[in-house]
Amino acid sequence: MSEKLKINVVIAGRTYPLSVKNTQEEEGMRKAAANINHLISLYEQNYAVNDKQDVLAMCALRFASQLEISSIDKNDNTDKALEKINKLNEMLQSHLG
């Protein structure tokens, strides 16, 4: 059984100790924390927000919505590809049959 790595990430000025499986997961966590901190900074500069929790909620909504939109786009692209494949199959069957 492999040993987990212990790391600390800082989000909104607070340090969070985490255990990660490997250096790839560590890199992902650190990049995610950096993205969150960057977005916090942007929200604080552009909006009159006094409460960190409000800013963190806005960040969570932004990242979650990006995942959902990406998933929807992926499903739409898959559906379109399947439609094209089905049309090609129909054309081949009518040509060969």
Side-chain angles (χ1 to χ4, degrees):
M1 184 181 251
S2 69
E3 189 76 20
K4 290 194 172 200
L5 302 171
K6 303 225 183 270
I7 65 169
N8 291 315
V9 296
V10 178
I11 299 173
R14 286 191 174 180
T15 301
Y16 296 92
L18 302 170
S19 295
V20 296
K21 295 176 193 171
N22 53 43
T23 55
Q24 184 178 8
E25 189 174 357
E26 176 186 8
E27 182 181 358
M29 290 288 190
R30 291 193 188 282
K31 284 184 177 181
N35 287 335
I36 292 167
N37 287 322
H38 177 72
L39 194 55
I40 288 170
S41 177
L42 289 176
Y43 283 140
E44 288 177 336
Q45 290 171 12
N46 294 310
Y47 300 99
V49 182
N50 296 327
D51 189 355
K52 284 280 190 207
Q53 183 161 345
D54 290 338
V55 177
L56 289 169
M58 291 167 62
C59 290
L61 178 60
R62 171 85 177 262
F63 289 122
S65 67
Q66 286 175 338
L67 282 174
E68 291 301 323
I69 291 166
S70 176
S71 177
I72 291 166
D73 288 345
K74 186 177 177 182
N75 288 339
D76 286 348
N77 288 338
T78 301
D79 291 345
K80 287 176 186 174
L82 286 173
E83 255 181 61
K84 288 179 182 180
I85 289 169
N86 287 334
K87 284 181 184 178
L88 284 171
N89 279 336
E90 288 172 13
M91 288 171 57
L92 283 171
Q93 288 176 357
S94 68
H95 182 68
L96 296 174

